[in-house]
Amino acid sequence: MLDRRVQLHLATWLGQWPAGAGLHVVASHRRAAPAWDGRLRPALAVDTGRSGVLSVAPDRVAAIRSLIRRTPDRFLAALPQAVGLPEWCVHDGPFRWSVSPAPLPDVGEWTPPTAPGLPPWLRLFDRPVLVVRDPAGGYLAGAGIKRHDAYGHELAVGTAPVARGHGLARRLVAQAARRVLDEGAVPTYLHERDNLASARVADAAGFPDRGWRAYGVYPR
């Protein structure tokens, strides 16, 4: 049975959930408003393989529905133009979540995103981020929490090249997931379909691939 928090997250994030068979294009004013990082997400979708919801701004619903009969590849390729941002790109990959992250030991410390030495992507967050440093204080790995709504918080993780292969990312994801659950939300994890390293991190951290898919239009 689908966790209630996942249902509430998808209903809030996309504007509708659950959905009947097939792809449902729905209007949401959230697609015309800045997301967690201050940038737009003009099209977002989650598909279970049997049904799905594609959320777009109200003034783009008709344009998107006119594309549905295209082949999947042509449909995705046409999305940026259909939402009025042809220079943007489509991200497509598994939609994962976990209510029981792997019992891996904590490895990071929560620190302000303004702390010195952090990579630019961690500075986008407006709340503490989870960071691993070497004995000299150098950055090794980090994770942030994208708080999309009260029910679903997406995790992002990155490891410096020098620190890869030591299991830091999976431990950070599991540690951050426990914090999200403690806050009453469900942690989610998205990655590109061909990002095998990120897929291995998700599997090891307790975020199984259930065959669900997430895709959307994002800034380059």
Side-chain angles (χ1 to χ4, degrees):
M1 184 176 180
L2 186 62
D3 187 278
R4 180 65 172 164
R5 289 165 296 185
V6 178
Q7 295 186 43
L8 290 170
H9 166 51
L10 294 174
T12 304
W13 194 40
L14 301 175
Q16 175 181 311
W17 198 270
L23 178 64
H24 299 258
V25 180
V26 302
S28 173
H29 291 284
R30 290 174 65 99
R31 302 287 76 80
W36 67 275
D37 59 356
R39 297 184 292 180
L40 291 176
R41 299 293 187 274
L44 285 174
V46 174
D47 195 314
T48 70
R50 298 180 301 275
S51 65
V53 170
L54 172 55
S55 171
V56 297
D59 64 341
R60 296 293 171 174
V61 170
I64 300 298
R65 286 178 176 165
S66 71
L67 305 176
I68 288 180
R69 293 187 178 181
R70 298 191 181 190
T71 62
D73 287 346
R74 291 184 63 208
F75 175 74
L76 286 182
L79 277 181
Q81 178 71 45
V83 297
L85 293 162
E87 70 279 10
W88 286 26
C89 62
V90 173
H91 289 188
D92 180 17
F95 177 85
R96 303 174 183 245
W97 74 90
S98 178
V99 294
S100 54
L104 302 172
D106 290 353
V107 68
E109 294 185 0
W110 295 98
T111 187
T114 54
L118 299 186
W121 71 271
L122 276 177
R123 298 190 180 282
L124 294 174
F125 294 88
D126 62 355
R127 301 192 192 182
V129 294
L130 193 57
V131 175
V132 182
R133 296 184 182 272
D134 62 25
Y139 170 83
L140 295 178
I145 301 175
K146 305 175 185 179
R147 293 174 170 84
H148 294 306
D149 50 59
Y151 313 105
H153 297 171
E154 181 188 344
L155 306 183
V157 66
T159 306
V162 69
R164 291 172 185 164
H166 298 287
L168 296 179
R170 64 185 63 178
R171 291 171 64 183
L172 285 173
V173 169
Q175 183 178 350
R178 290 190 285 270
R179 176 160 179 154
V180 170
L181 289 166
D182 287 344
E183 293 176 350
V186 65
T188 66
Y189 189 100
L190 282 64
H191 61 85
E192 292 288 329
R193 191 168 303 281
D194 60 357
N195 190 337
L196 300 183
S198 193
R200 288 192 293 269
V201 167
D203 290 335
F207 286 73
D209 186 349
R210 296 174 169 87
W212 288 34
R213 171 189 178 204
Y215 60 90
V217 177
Y218 289 76
R220 288 192 181 276

